[in-house]
Amino acid sequence: MNQALIAAVQSTGKHHAMRWLVHLGAAGLFGVSLLDACPFPLPIPGTTDLLLLILIARRGNPWLLVALAVGGAVAGAFTTWSAGKKGGEPALHRYVPKRYYDRITGWVKKHGAVVVALSAINPPPIPLMPFLAAAGALGVPRGRFLATFAGARAARYALVAWLGVRYGRQMIHWWNLYLADYSGVIAWGILAVFIMGFAWAFWKWRRKSAHQAPQPAHS
């Protein structure tokens, strides 16, 4: 049974691109989870959950992988909270979509860290970054913010880990049956989206920095 599973998993790595993605391993999971909660999040929501599920399906250590995912998420969330705290109201307008501004800021003002926990435990398409930035800008205490966020992410990733342990073998079988022949195309497609997303975020940051640069005084 174990040999059959190993053979099935190995067959998913016959394309170089897919092997590259999977071989990111635990370090890649930490990095992806960190970026997922940063002020400029990953362009594909739920990337951390998917990578965690795949790694556990490949017989990765669930305890270690969940700990790394939570640790990366907390580090990324702290940078977003700090950006909100440092930027104040201008940061709110920068990171919170205009159509949701009143709703998100109202929830955070009224419920504080509870709203942060709910946004962290809920799956996509529930947005995360606007709540984290609002928590910093609106004065949610750092300790309470980190504790509630870490607890919520731990609960979410623990559920994903359980699904990987419980249904990982079926997931690998399903992949081999329907998608293995297209794994290279899928992998390169994901990579292309990542590159375009990071390029867009960098361009937006450079453009905003240029507008905020002090103008020379006119004589």
Side-chain angles (χ1 to χ4, degrees), residues 103-118:
R103 188 177 304 175
I104 289 178
T105 55
W107 286 342
V108 174
K109 286 178 182 177
K110 186 175 181 180
H111 302 289
V114 174
V115 175
V116 173
L118 291 175

Side-chain angles (χ1 to χ4, degrees), residues 2-25:
N2 290 337
Q3 293 299 323
L5 177 61
I6 292 172
V9 172
Q10 287 176 342
S11 70
T12 65
K14 58 185 178 181
H15 291 84
H16 293 292
M18 183 56 68
R19 284 203 300 268
W20 179 82
L21 287 176
V22 173
H23 286 172
L24 287 173

Side-chain angles (χ1 to χ4, degrees), residues 31 41 43 46 53 55 57 62 65 67 70 77 81 89 104 114 118 137 144 166-167 170-171 188 201 207 212-214:
L53 187 67
L55 291 175
L65 293 173
V70 172
W81 177 88
E89 186 173 348
I104 289 178
V114 174
L118 291 175
R144 188 179 305 168
R166 180 67 178 83
Y167 299 105
Q170 291 91 324
M171 185 183 73
W188 285 115
R207 183 181 180 188
Q212 292 176 347

Side-chain angles (χ1 to χ4, degrees), residues 5 13-14 24 33 46 60 80 99 126 130 152 155 159 178 184 202 218:
L5 177 61
K14 58 185 178 181
L24 287 173
S33 64
T80 306
R99 58 178 175 171
I126 303 298
L159 175 60
Y178 297 107
F202 181 74
H218 296 284

Side-chain angles (χ1 to χ4, degrees), residues 3-218:
Q3 293 299 323
L5 177 61
I6 292 172
V9 172
Q10 287 176 342
S11 70
T12 65
K14 58 185 178 181
H15 291 84
H16 293 292
M18 183 56 68
R19 284 203 300 268
W20 179 82
L21 287 176
V22 173
H23 286 172
L24 287 173
L29 178 66
F30 179 86
V32 166
S33 64
L34 187 151
L35 292 174
D36 202 22
C38 276
F40 297 109
L42 292 171
I44 303 178
T47 305
T48 304
D49 304 83
L50 179 60
L51 183 57
L52 176 62
L53 187 67
I54 292 173
L55 291 175
I56 291 178
R58 290 170 56 88
R59 293 297 188 261
N61 185 318
W63 298 100
L64 174 62
L65 293 173
V66 168
L68 288 172
V70 172
V74 170
F78 179 69
T79 64
T80 306
W81 177 88
S82 299
K85 182 176 178 61
K86 182 178 180 180
E89 186 173 348
L92 284 176
H93 291 285
R94 183 185 309 168
Y95 296 120
V96 180
K98 185 177 180 180
R99 58 178 175 171
Y100 300 128
Y101 184 89
D102 292 338
R103 188 177 304 175
I104 289 178
T105 55
W107 286 342
V108 174
K109 286 178 182 177
K110 186 175 181 180
H111 302 289
V114 174
V115 175
V116 173
L118 291 175
S119 67
I121 201 170
N122 282 315
I126 303 298
L128 175 65
M129 187 267 291
F131 289 97
L132 306 184
L138 297 175
V140 175
R142 179 180 59 184
R144 188 179 305 168
F145 169 82
L146 293 176
T148 54
F149 180 84
R153 274 307 205 214
R156 172 171 163 173
Y157 292 149
L159 175 60
V160 174
W162 177 82
L163 292 173
V165 172
R166 180 67 178 83
Y167 299 105
R169 185 169 176 270
Q170 291 91 324
M171 185 183 73
I172 294 297
H173 174 73
W174 180 84
W175 173 272
N176 286 320
L177 190 61
Y178 297 107
L179 294 177
D181 291 338
Y182 306 98
S183 60
V185 175
I186 293 171
W188 285 115
I190 293 173
L191 182 59
V193 171
F194 279 162
I195 292 173
M196 289 188 293
F198 286 127
W200 176 84
F202 181 74
W203 172 82
K204 187 176 180 181
W205 173 77
R206 286 292 300 271
R207 183 181 180 188
K208 188 167 296 184
S209 298
H211 285 305
Q212 292 176 347
Q215 299 296 325
H218 296 284

